[in-house]
């Protein structure tokens, strides 16, 4: 097991992040130290086999309450896990490895794919990703800066 990375990078409980490896330039995420892995809103999830192993194809809606700018993603399946949601619902989820850029730093996050339509955030970043050098100040938001105004408007369904 690798040594933990220590840093003084302080993040708020919610941040604008980027998912550069899958073509999502902005997504608003909740940073949740109570969740082990990260979770991403995904739909049309379809598994398939390739020469290199099991893969998954899925689509992402980066904006809250909007179907605009959907992104289609294909990536290797990293794992499958049984996850208990905050409401107590148990579901088996596919896990993929995603690069997540927070505060200009990129970390690798084990990310489960699930329908987060009814959740307040399309992405949740869990403690396994956060332990790569982030401290969360639960009293603050957007310490890494805000997305441009047109992106924020689009996220609120006003663009």
């Amino acid at each position: 097991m690798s040594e933990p990375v220590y840093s003084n990078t302080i993040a708020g409980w919610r941040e604008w992040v980027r998912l550069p490896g899958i073509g999502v330039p902005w997504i608003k995420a909740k940073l949740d130290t109570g969740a082990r892995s990260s979770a991403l809103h995904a739909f049309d999830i379809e598994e398939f086999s390739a020469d290199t192993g099991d893969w998954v194809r899925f689509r992402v809606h980066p904006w809250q309450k909007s179907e605009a700018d959907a992104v289609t993603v294909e990536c290797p399946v990293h794992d499958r896990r049984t996850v208990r949601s905050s409401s107590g619902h148990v579901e088996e989820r596919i896990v993929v490895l995603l690069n997540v850029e927070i505060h200009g730093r990129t970390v690798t996050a084990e990310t489960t794919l699930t329908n987060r339509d009814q959740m307040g955030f399309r992405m949740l970043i869990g403690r396994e990703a956060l332990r790569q050098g982030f401290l969360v100040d639960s009293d603050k938001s957007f310490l890494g800066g805000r997305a441009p105004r047109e992106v924020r408007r689009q996220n609120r369904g006003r663009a």
Side-chain angles (χ1 to χ4, degrees), residues 133-151:
F134 294 93
L135 301 172
V136 178
D137 184 338
S138 62
D139 193 41
K140 304 288 185 198
S141 295
F142 310 119
L143 294 177
R146 295 182 185 267
R149 170 178 251 159
E150 60 273 6
V151 170

Side-chain angles (χ1 to χ4, degrees), residues 9-24:
T9 303
I10 299 173
W13 72 273
R14 58 187 175 163
E15 293 286 349
W16 282 98
V17 303
R18 298 172 188 260
L19 304 175
I22 64 168
V24 176

